[in-house]
Amino acid sequence: DIGQLPSWNESLLTDPRPLPEQRRLLAKEALSIPPLASPGSRCVYSNAGYLVVGTILETLTGETWEDLLRRDRTRDEL
């Protein structure tokens, strides 16, 4: 649960750091928590997974998650 991460609290609403930097911090925290089940043993939904994937995409592309979403939406409309 992303809400259980130490940095996931109301201070995120006023954090002056750029969003990609905030996402990297949250992704690092999410990945430091041991999994609830052994890989392949059962399916456990994690809304933090989207945060981690977004952070990976930002790192690989050099673009922000928001820009990537806008670009993909524009591409789909063509």
Side-chain angles (χ1 to χ4, degrees):
D1 179 9
I2 199 168
Q4 301 302 313
L5 298 177
S7 294
W8 186 266
N9 56 46
E10 289 184 25
S11 68
L12 284 176
L13 298 175
T14 58
D15 191 329
R17 292 177 291 186
L19 290 174
E21 187 177 336
Q22 292 180 49
R23 278 190 282 271
R24 279 191 300 276
L25 171 67
L26 289 167
K28 184 176 178 180
E29 288 179 5
L31 292 170
S32 72
I33 297 170
L36 297 176
S38 300
S41 66
R42 66 183 176 121
C43 181
V44 179
Y45 175 79
S46 170
N47 52 7
Y50 292 99
L51 171 75
V52 172
V53 168
T55 302
I56 291 169
L57 289 171
E58 287 180 333
T59 301
L60 290 174
T61 66
E63 297 183 58
T64 66
W65 176 245
E66 293 80 9
D67 287 342
L68 289 167
L69 289 176
R70 277 191 287 276
R71 187 182 74 196
D72 285 350
R73 186 171 359 130
T74 302
R75 184 179 298 154
D76 289 342
E77 292 172 356
L78 296 176

